[in-house]
Amino acid sequence: MNRLDYDLCSIQEARILIENGRDAQRMLASFSQDRLDDIVAAMAEAVYPHAKELALLSAEETGFGRWEDKYIKDIFASRYVCRHMKGMKAVGIIAEDAEKKTLDIGIPVGVITALPPCTSPVSTTVYNALIAIKSGNAIIFSPHPRAQKVIGRTLDILIDAGIKAGMPECAVEYLRTVTLSGTKEMIYHKDTSLILITSVPRLLPLVHASGKPAIYGGPGNGPAFIEKTADVKKAVRDIVFSRTFDNGIISAAEQSIVAEECIAEDVRQELKHQGAYFLNEEETETIGKALFHHDGSINLQYVGRPAAEIASMNGIAVPAGTTVLISEQKYADLCNPYAREKLCPVLAFYVERDWRNACEKCIELLCNKGLGNMLVIHSQNEEVIREFALKKPVSRVLVNTPATVGGMGATTNLFPAFTLGLGAAGGTITSDNVSPMNLINIRKVGYGVRNLGELVQDITGTGQMQQRTNPAQIMDRMRNEQEKAAVSGLIEEIVSELKKQGIYGGDR
């Protein structure tokens, strides 16, 4: 009997992909920004007509979310991201200061290993590929097993268009034999320069253990605070839209509502008007137990399901047109399922006496595995908005906008992105909406503009700027003995360091 070891096949394939990517990237590194932009434009233009087909395939293969909303995300990734990057300089000379005589040169990091999610497989894959090529990098994908077919189809379209536009073969590729062993080989390979991981938390320990630089767009547990000056009707409309978009599978979506006590009843009534169903105590317990397994892991059976379907699956009758399920809560500890990230249209509802108490409640919620992602505030009080922005452990504070589309840059002027950095609080190297600028190193060029004597005079503020030939002459010209003693140590330290580095060899 012939037997095939898929793990070994996957490992070998991973090595070949990364090494071919390394060779392709060396060619890409010689391309001008204009040439890279032409390839990016061709790839984006090629995938755009397939957006609906890919959205349908994504919903069918993963079983998550609504294809109509995935269609919107796919269009956003292919058209809007490409358009937004037009004119952006990521390679070559990207900045010059003629007055200070400095240059910034963008250098691609090399080969990127990308780990896209099953929740937004097409849009994330398209966006990752475009920003990688824009910045002169090769990018190799390990598709999520639950979205392997649609990610492969998406990449086939992008690769074909890229090569026709002049992209080196193997600059964009993907693992066909997907196993954990093969993915690990890609992550650990010596030629992998950076790991780009979006909403695949189970792979995060592997990524961290590799010691490689990583950009992680991970889970969110972002609350939405409705302050007393807010336009309640608009705030509720934004939250319901955001929480139901793609049936709530986007990590950026609001997970809880925190309302100021004086307007809490108005918020409740508006939520009901917009289709929210408030669970009673028994229903709250039933849904809470259903959303997570006993070990605390999320129950995939409910991920990306409509609110009415979730209720029906648990024997709860809700009115036709129910948009979200809401449970009123008081506590935000990790044992409370409603105080965690829920990848479906279910919300917790908290009431706090004033904005200061609401501020503390939001921090409690964010500490439940939501550090570094985002928070939303609905308010017209600029002072309160700024207090929230200053004190929250998040990378993004959104104001008077839906979290889902605001976070990705659709309704805000943030960079349009599907990988939202969590910063140090979330265990990653950037807090940005990840752009091509996060995929480059910046080489600094500085021209000499002063000599050592001028530096010392600038530090000490003595006399007019004069040419100095060596430290001894500087000391001789200082008349004040006290000043001489204070500066002599500094000069000796500078000269000693220059000698160690072979820069200072005597009179200059």
Side-chain angles (χ1 to χ4, degrees):
M1 181 184 293
N2 292 326
R3 289 178 178 164
L4 193 62
D5 190 319
Y6 285 99
D7 277 337
L8 290 178
C9 290
S10 183
I11 290 169
Q12 182 60 45
E13 184 187 346
R15 289 174 181 166
I16 293 169
L17 290 174
I18 296 292
E19 288 160 15
N20 287 347
R22 174 199 62 200
D23 296 339
Q25 195 280 321
R26 287 172 180 165
M27 289 187 277
L28 269 183
S30 66
F31 285 19
S32 68
Q33 187 67 77
D34 286 344
R35 191 172 176 187
L36 292 172
D37 287 351
D38 288 343
I39 296 170
V40 168
M43 293 167 70
E45 196 61 33
V47 80
Y48 173 72
H50 297 276
K52 184 176 180 180
E53 165 206 335
L54 295 171
L56 287 163
L57 180 58
S58 176
E60 178 186 344
E61 184 179 9
T62 67
F64 297 153
R66 303 177 68 248
W67 76 263
E68 297 91 342
D69 294 335
K70 294 183 187 299
Y71 182 36
I72 293 170
K73 290 191 291 183
D74 297 351
I75 291 173
F76 184 79
S78 58
R79 274 286 168 94
Y80 190 74
V81 172
C82 183
R83 197 173 298 167
H84 192 88
M85 292 193 300
K86 191 174 182 180
M88 177 188 289
K89 291 184 177 180
V91 299
I93 297 174
I94 60 175
E96 181 174 3
D97 189 325
E99 183 181 347
K100 293 183 178 180
K101 301 194 77 173
T102 61
L103 297 174
D104 287 354
I105 299 175
I107 309 295
V109 295
V111 179
I112 298 169
T113 286
L115 309 173
C118 59
T119 48
S120 299
V122 177
S123 51
T124 304
T125 297
V126 171
Y127 146 79
N128 284 173
L130 296 184
I131 64 173
I133 297 301
K134 169 78 179 182
S135 51
N137 296 288
I139 185 166
I140 314 299
F141 291 83
S142 176
H144 194 290
R146 189 158 182 155
Q148 187 174 349
K149 187 188 300 183
V150 71
I151 290 174
R153 171 65 178 144
T154 302
L155 286 167
D156 286 341
I157 296 167
L158 292 169
I159 291 166
D160 181 63
I163 291 173
K164 286 178 180 176
M167 180 182 76
E169 289 190 22
C170 304
V172 177
E173 263 298 349
Y174 64 99
L175 193 64
R176 269 76 170 179
T177 309
V178 180
T179 69
L180 185 58
S181 300
T183 301
K184 183 178 179 180
E185 184 66 25
M186 289 174 62
I187 291 169
Y188 277 73
H189 197 286
K190 64 182 178 64
D191 290 320
T192 290
S193 303
L194 177 71
I195 300 157
L196 192 55
I197 173 172
T198 308
S199 296
V200 194
R202 68 186 181 87
L203 293 180
L204 199 56
L206 271 182
V207 171
H208 285 324
S210 73
K212 302 276 188 178
I215 294 175
Y216 178 47
N221 190 28
F225 172 48
I226 306 179
E227 192 259 346
K228 64 184 178 183
T229 65
D231 179 338
V232 171
K233 186 174 182 178
K234 179 184 181 301
V236 170
R237 184 173 66 246
D238 285 350
I239 293 167
V240 171
F241 165 78
S242 183
R243 198 71 192 101
T244 56
F245 187 82
D246 210 4
N247 285 340
I249 62 172
I250 299 177
S251 291
E254 299 88 341
Q255 303 293 324
S256 307
I257 297 172
V258 181
E260 199 162 356
E261 189 174 51
C262 59
I263 60 165
E265 189 54 37
D266 292 340
V267 174
R268 286 190 189 92
Q269 293 306 314
E270 188 58 37
L271 280 164
K272 291 175 181 177
H273 179 70
Q274 296 197 29
Y277 177 81
F278 280 77
L279 301 166
N280 62 32
E281 190 173 335
E282 183 182 345
E283 292 167 341
T284 288
E285 186 175 356
T286 299
I287 296 295
K289 287 180 178 178
L291 294 179
F292 297 92
H293 296 297
H294 291 301
D295 63 359
S297 61
I298 196 164
N299 187 344
L300 295 179
Q301 187 178 1
Y302 296 99
V303 171
R305 299 292 185 185
E309 188 176 326
I310 293 170
S312 176
M313 290 166 71
N314 287 278
I316 298 170
V318 297
T322 294
T323 53
V324 293
L325 304 179
I326 297 181
S327 172
E328 298 219 26
Q329 296 290 317
K330 291 182 179 179
Y331 305 107
D333 58 273
L334 195 55
C335 296
N336 181 351
Y338 292 94
R340 296 178 54 186
E341 180 184 56
K342 307 163 289 294
L343 299 177
C344 56
V346 175
L347 283 163
F349 186 84
Y350 295 89
V351 177
E352 294 295 334
R353 186 174 69 247
D354 55 32
W355 70 265
R356 289 180 177 83
N357 290 83
C359 183
E360 294 305 313
K361 181 63 70 179
C362 288
I363 291 174
E364 289 178 39
L365 289 163
L366 289 166
C367 287
N368 286 351
K369 300 184 179 180
L371 292 175
N373 207 311
M374 73 176 70
L375 169 145
V376 181
I377 178 170
H378 294 272
S379 172
Q380 303 302 322
N381 187 326
E382 194 61 33
E383 182 181 349
V384 173
I385 291 169
R386 288 173 185 261
E387 282 294 316
F388 263 67
L390 287 168
K391 294 181 179 178
K392 298 300 173 293
V394 293
S395 300
R396 281 155 290 278
V397 174
L398 304 179
V399 182
N400 300 326
T401 193
T404 299
V405 289
M408 71 170 68
T411 59
T412 63
N413 284 326
L414 301 178
F415 184 84
F418 288 91
T419 302
L420 309 182
L422 304 180
T428 183
I429 62 174
T430 183
S431 58
D432 293 344
N433 278 24
V434 177
S435 78
M437 306 309 291
N438 298 108
L439 308 183
I440 62 171
N441 293 313
I442 298 178
R443 181 180 296 151
K444 298 287 185 178
V445 179
Y447 287 76
V449 295
R450 67 184 70 85
N451 60 35
L452 183 59
E454 290 172 330
L455 172 63
V456 173
Q457 284 219 341
D458 188 36
I459 293 171
T460 62
T462 59
Q464 299 296 316
M465 296 293 276
Q466 301 176 29
Q467 290 292 327
R468 302 300 189 196
T469 56
N470 61 48
Q473 289 176 317
I474 296 169
M475 299 300 292
D476 289 340
R477 294 180 188 181
M478 289 183 178
R479 297 178 181 177
N480 188 307
E481 291 300 323
Q482 187 176 8
E483 188 178 56
K484 185 188 296 183
V487 175
S488 62
L490 172 63
I491 294 174
E492 288 174 8
E493 186 178 341
I494 292 173
V495 172
S496 174
E497 186 60 34
L498 292 174
K499 285 181 178 178
K500 285 180 187 177
Q501 297 182 25
I503 298 172
Y504 182 81
D507 290 348
R508 296 275 173 177

